[in-house]
Amino acid sequence: MRHSIENVEATDKLQATGNLGPAVVQALLDAGFTVTALTRIDSKSSVLPGAKVHKTDYSSIETIAEAFKGQDAVVSTLATAALGQQQTIVDAAIKAGVKRFIPSEFGMDTTTIEGGAKKILGAKIALQGVLAKAAEENKGFSWTGISTGMFFDWGLKVGSIGFSLPTKTATIWDSGDEPFTGSNLAFIGQAIASVLKHPEETANKYIKVASFVTTQNEVLALLEEESGTKWTVVNKKTADSEKLGEEKLARGDYSAFGDFLKPLLFGDGIGAARKVGQLSNEELGLPKEDLKKTIKAALA
Ligand SMILES: NC(=O)c1ccc[n+]([C@@H]2O[C@H](COP(=O)([O-])OP(=O)(O)OC[C@H]3O[C@@H](n4cnc5c(N)ncnc54)[C@H](OP(=O)(O)O)[C@@H]3O)[C@@H](O)[C@H]2O)c1
């Protein structure tokens, strides 16, 4: 079975490796899309079986456009460090007559982000302007930006939301009671597939989805309950994290992004989840996710 965008047989091109890519490929295959993955010529990553593979050096609009011929949609899951290349990919998509471009967003709402994080994600923000202009100027071309909050199940494993599973240590920022949004990788894949199945409702929009709205303290309580033990808690101040981020950025160290995220997500009173506003979960028919089950799976 194949689903369609604007009643045309749908196929998709995407970067299909890395942290998010495989979940996206899986969700698109599961939804019945024909998937072709773009991957670098010298990439060591492998693409999930079921997707076709197209090797590229991303060197010119023409060669990428050749790869995009006949595709209805392009989903970019390019690495943050490679986001500067997306402009060429957009130009190639337009040249090839692609109907929908989904840029590599998949994080905090970059339409409202502030401070040092905004500087680091400048390429994502700049591309939104490029896409809006391209949609105005090219009939048939459209885009959808998708903000997901933190990668949640991935973040639990790599420690990006403050928890170290191997050492059972929680780093709690400020009070730990500030609500933030997060999405599991498979859920993000499903959101992308659903956007492509709802082309009209999602055209030329920046939407937000999330598996959960939660707090660090709620996650900690569930981790303790599910692991059957008390965790070591380290309390930190988001103001200190922001300061550290500024120091790192001043010396050109972009790992500062992680430090800037702490106040934006966990800072007392910052209202990260409130600022996200209306989620599109329901409109996209996304499944209800279970926080406890996600935590149990991460611990297993
Ligand atoms: N919300 C969150 O918590 C969170 C966390 C992480 C990432 N993100 C966002 O999600 C998106 C995808 O991130 P990710 O972590 O999945 O990316 P990633 O794993 O770092 O990289 C994805 C793919 O990009 C390709 N790539 C890497 N460097 C490249 C280069 N210099 N030129 C061309 N291609 C390159 C590689 O594909 P090949 O090897 O196949 O060529 C790689 O597998 C980004 O926008 C990122 O900012 C969000």
Side-chain angles (χ1 to χ4, degrees), residues 8 14 26 58 70 75 129 147 152 172 175 180 192 213 219 240 245 248 281 283-284 296:
V8 179
L14 62 163
Q26 193 60 61
Y58 296 105
V75 181
S147 163
F152 191 83
I172 299 294
S175 70
F180 66 96
I192 292 168
V213 179
V219 175
D240 295 339
K248 283 186 183 173
N281 293 21
E283 190 187 328
L284 292 175
K296 206 174 185 155

Side-chain angles (χ1 to χ4, degrees), residues 71-94:
Q71 307 291 329
D72 290 325
V74 171
V75 181
S76 171
T77 60
L78 263 190
T80 315
L83 289 177
Q85 297 187 25
Q86 282 197 118
Q87 165 89 56
T88 313
I89 298 173
V90 171
D91 290 343
I94 292 166

Side-chain angles (χ1 to χ4, degrees), residues 14-22 38-47 55-58 76-83 85-86 89 103-108 121 124 148-152 154-155 160-161 183 185 188 257 261:
L14 62 163
Q15 284 79 33
T17 58
N19 300 311
L20 178 61
L38 250 68
T39 182
R40 287 166 299 172
I41 289 164
D42 57 354
S43 174
K44 301 274 181 287
S45 319
S46 51
V47 175
K55 293 269 181 188
T56 179
D57 61 2
Y58 296 105
S76 171
T77 60
L78 263 190
T80 315
L83 289 177
Q85 297 187 25
Q86 282 197 118
I89 298 173
S104 191
E105 281 278 340
F106 314 119
M108 292 201 62
L121 295 183
K124 287 190 180 185
T148 60
M150 295 299 280
F151 287 1
F152 191 83
W154 178 87
S160 62
I161 49 180
S183 295
L185 297 185
I188 299 174
F257 184 63
L261 273 185

Side-chain angles (χ1 to χ4, degrees), residues 49-279:
K52 296 175 201 164
V53 177
H54 187 102
K55 293 269 181 188
T56 179
D57 61 2
Y58 296 105
S59 63
S60 75
I61 295 174
E62 286 68 28
T63 54
I64 305 173
E66 195 55 41
F68 285 167
K69 261 203 190 128
Q71 307 291 329
D72 290 325
V74 171
V75 181
S76 171
T77 60
L78 263 190
T80 315
L83 289 177
Q85 297 187 25
Q86 282 197 118
Q87 165 89 56
T88 313
I89 298 173
V90 171
D91 290 343
I94 292 166
K95 193 175 167 66
V98 164
K99 298 180 183 67
R100 178 64 49 88
F101 190 91
I102 299 184
S104 191
E105 281 278 340
F106 314 119
M108 292 201 62
D109 177 356
T110 54
T111 65
T112 58
I113 202 165
E114 289 299 335
K118 183 175 180 175
K119 286 182 207 155
I120 295 176
L121 295 183
K124 287 190 180 185
I125 296 160
L127 198 77
Q128 290 157 12
V130 169
L131 289 169
K133 191 160 176 275
E136 266 176 38
E137 291 173 354
N138 298 278
K139 198 172 174 314
F141 178 80
S142 58
W143 60 276
T144 310
I146 307 175
S147 163
T148 60
M150 295 299 280
F151 287 1
F152 191 83
D153 49 357
W154 178 87
L156 274 179
K157 285 182 192 143
V158 305
S160 62
I161 49 180
F163 303 95
S164 163
L165 304 190
T167 63
K168 295 195 169 45
T169 303
T171 304
I172 299 294
W173 295 94
D174 295 352
S175 70
D177 284 329
E178 191 62 25
F180 66 96
T181 58
S183 295
N184 290 336
L185 297 185
F187 174 90
I188 299 174
Q190 288 168 330
I192 292 168
S194 184
V195 162
L196 296 180
K197 286 192 206 168
H198 294 83
E200 278 163 25
E201 300 92 319
T202 56
N204 305 323
K205 280 186 186 156
Y206 190 92
I207 63 164
K208 294 112 178 226
V209 296
S211 294
F212 316 109
V213 179
T214 185
T215 66
Q216 279 200 301
N217 283 338
E218 185 183 23
V219 175
L220 174 60
L222 286 168
L223 282 165
E224 290 186 333
E225 188 184 315
E226 290 301 322
S227 62
T229 180
K230 278 273 163 211
W231 282 41
T232 305
V233 174
V234 179
N235 289 103
K236 290 196 177 175
K237 296 266 165 255
T238 58
D240 295 339
S241 188
E242 176 139 32
K243 207 163 144 251
L244 181 63
E246 296 290 0
E247 284 163 16
K248 283 186 183 173
L249 194 58
R251 52 176 193 267
D253 175 356
Y254 287 91
S255 73
F257 184 63
D259 305 296
F260 288 131
L261 273 185
K262 304 302 184 316
L264 288 178
L265 287 169
F266 308 133
D268 279 345
I270 193 75
R274 178 176 39 79
K275 284 180 196 160
V276 165
Q278 185 68 36
L279 296 172

